[in-house]
Amino acid sequence: MKNSKYYIIIAIAILTVSCKKTQETEPQHKDLIDAVFASGSIITSNQYAITAQAEGYLNTSFVSEGDTVHNGQQLFKLTNDAQQIQVGNAYDNYDNAKKNLNNNGPQIAKLEDQINQAKNTKDIDAANLKRYENLIKTNAVAQVDYDKVKLNYQNDLTNLAVLQKSLADLKQNLSLNEKNAKAQYQLQQNNNKYYSLNSLYSGIVLSISKKNGDLVKKGESIAIVGSGKTIAKLFVAEDDIQKIQIGQQTLITLNTNKDKIYKAQVTKIYPSFDEASQSFIVEASFDELPKQLKIGTQLQANFIISEKKKALVIPSIYLLNGDSVIIQKNHQKIAIKTGIKTLEWVEVLNGLNDNDKLELPENH
């Protein structure tokens, strides 16, 4: 049994080898295109996200998906009760500071009353001092009484000066408080602007990710707006990016219509590697924009590296490592010079003629 099995295996092996050696081909002429493959999608050149600058609840949506919007147009409105309370408190503080700074303000009015009283006291004591000055000349009053009246008058002057200085300081402090309160109120009003989300450029609302009543956190995207030209965003492998150049011809097929090929040109090559997609990003503009093209449509693209008309080619499976082939006539391996290589064909630049017959390598 072991011997019979062995013979069967040998027979199959011999049959397989002999079948392979009967497979042969000749070089032929074909149009070849050397290209780099990339996947991608349709975007707009100025596509951007509407992002919340403050946390709040989506109160009102003024647009829907597909709507055309203009630069600076209000798209969404957020609300935040805590923010409104802060605005109200800031306004109350500012209003109170303005009232205090007014001449009828309670603090100013109180000091001004004290100043008026001090002035009256000073005027009375001034008249009394003048009278005592006349009396002292005739020795009608004692020196100690005169000195007492004079001291009262000097105290009146000091007290009045202190009160006037206090009034000036009070007005300065109240003015500073009013300015600070006004600044805080303006700041809270400016913060309110963050709850109104406007478009940056004219365009079309492509998608909305939140609905009315949803909590929106600071930095969270609410919608995507497409603006500018409709282009192809393509993801190119690290090994291929050096082969891509601005202006390079690109052939694109859309997943919505895989039977048609659209021509495009490379318009932008991003300078850095994109970690999210693990590729380099390239943009291409269509020579003629496909009709009814939808943003987000997935696609496949081929960047044309080179083209050859009626190139001398052989099937890729006949090429050995080191760019050599087996000639059927003498079963000898010869070296050839190759050009464009695709999955199916290899261009032969030198080493073969049109009528040379090739033998399929045994490892195929």
Side-chain angles (χ1 to χ4, degrees):
M1 289 295 295
K2 288 183 179 180
N3 288 339
S4 63
K5 184 177 181 181
Y6 176 79
Y7 290 135
I8 291 172
I9 293 173
I10 293 294
I12 292 174
I14 292 173
L15 179 61
T16 303
V17 170
S18 111
C19 286
K20 284 183 177 178
K21 288 195 173 182
T22 60
Q23 296 183 47
E24 61 183 41
T25 189
E26 295 179 357
Q28 53 188 294
H29 291 275
K30 283 185 173 293
D31 294 342
L32 275 189
I33 296 178
D34 188 13
V36 168
F37 174 81
S39 61
S41 63
I42 299 299
I43 65 168
T44 54
S45 57
N46 290 330
Q47 188 167 303
Y48 62 93
I50 302 297
T51 304
Q53 300 301 309
E55 182 172 306
Y57 290 91
L58 182 56
N59 179 267
T60 309
S61 298
F62 298 101
V63 292
S64 301
E65 292 175 347
D67 285 354
T68 299
V69 298
H70 305 290
N71 183 25
Q73 178 180 338
Q74 185 178 20
L75 307 182
F76 304 97
K77 181 181 179 181
L78 303 180
T79 58
N80 187 311
D81 292 341
Q83 169 62 18
Q84 297 308 310
I85 291 173
Q86 289 179 353
V87 173
N89 290 340
Y91 174 78
D92 290 341
N93 291 337
Y94 175 46
D95 187 57
N96 187 55
K98 285 193 300 181
K99 291 177 180 178
N100 287 335
L101 185 59
N102 189 288
N103 288 331
N104 295 324
Q107 292 174 288
I108 292 178
K110 181 179 179 181
L111 263 179
E112 286 181 340
D113 285 343
Q114 291 175 353
I115 288 172
N116 289 331
Q117 291 175 7
K119 284 180 178 179
N120 291 333
T121 301
K122 176 187 72 76
D123 291 342
I124 293 172
D125 287 345
N128 196 31
L129 177 61
K130 188 173 182 180
R131 184 168 63 85
Y132 267 73
E133 286 175 345
N134 293 329
L135 292 173
I136 195 67
K137 292 176 182 178
T138 61
N139 296 319
V141 293
Q143 183 68 38
V144 66
D145 292 330
Y146 169 77
D147 291 341
K148 183 179 180 181
V149 170
K150 184 177 180 180
L151 181 60
N152 287 340
Y153 176 70
Q154 289 174 342
N155 288 338
D156 292 341
L157 292 177
T158 301
N159 184 48
L160 180 60
V162 169
L163 289 173
Q164 289 174 332
K165 178 67 166 56
S166 297
L167 179 61
D169 291 344
L170 176 62
K171 286 184 175 181
Q172 184 177 3
N173 290 334
L174 291 177
S175 177
L176 182 61
N177 289 341
E178 188 267 347
K179 289 179 180 177
N180 289 337
K182 182 179 181 181
Q184 286 298 317
Y185 176 54
Q186 290 176 338
L187 176 63
Q188 294 302 330
Q189 283 186 313
N190 287 334
N191 287 342
N192 261 353
K193 295 178 182 178
Y194 295 137
Y195 294 86
S196 177
L197 305 179
N198 303 333
S199 62
L200 302 178
Y201 309 99
S202 297
I204 298 174
V205 180
L206 303 179
S207 64
I208 298 175
S209 56
K210 295 289 184 178
K211 62 181 183 297
N212 290 350
D214 284 352
L215 174 65
V216 182
K217 296 181 179 180
K218 183 178 180 180
E220 194 171 7
S221 174
I222 296 178
I224 301 295
V225 177
S227 177
K229 292 177 59 179
T230 301
I231 60 174
K233 181 180 181 181
L234 307 169
F235 301 100
V236 180
E238 289 181 86
D239 296 340
D240 296 326
I241 192 60
Q242 296 299 328
K243 301 174 185 177
I244 310 303
Q245 299 177 358
I246 298 295
Q248 192 167 359
Q249 186 181 14
T250 308
L251 302 180
I252 294 176
T253 57
L254 305 175
N255 283 8
T256 53
N257 185 7
K258 294 183 178 180
D259 295 331
K260 189 167 183 179
I261 297 175
Y262 298 93
K263 292 183 178 180
Q265 304 289 329
V266 174
T267 53
K268 182 178 181 179
I269 301 173
Y270 285 63
S272 60
F273 185 75
D274 182 64
E275 294 289 344
S277 63
Q278 287 295 294
S279 61
F280 283 92
I281 296 177
V282 175
E283 292 180 0
S285 295
F286 289 92
D287 293 356
E288 183 178 349
L289 200 64
K291 295 180 179 179
Q292 298 180 341
L293 185 59
K294 301 293 185 183
I295 304 301
T297 299
Q298 300 299 298
L299 57 85
Q300 285 75 46
N302 284 285
F303 300 95
I304 306 303
I305 307 301
S306 60
E307 293 184 77
K308 280 286 186 70
K309 297 292 185 181
K310 296 183 179 180
L312 185 65
V313 299
I314 60 172
S316 299
I317 59 174
Y318 284 83
L319 184 68
L320 297 170
N321 292 335
D323 288 353
S324 59
V325 295
I326 298 176
I327 298 296
Q328 192 270 338
K329 182 178 180 181
N330 52 18
H331 311 298
Q332 294 296 312
K333 182 170 71 172
I334 64 170
I336 64 172
K337 185 177 181 181
T338 61
I340 297 174
K341 294 180 180 180
T342 70
L343 293 176
E344 295 181 356
W345 303 99
V346 175
E347 180 188 12
V348 179
L349 299 177
N350 197 3
L352 289 178
N353 296 318
D354 291 13
N355 55 359
D356 287 334
K357 295 185 182 297
L358 304 182
E359 201 171 89
L360 190 67
E362 292 185 0
N363 60 348
H364 282 76

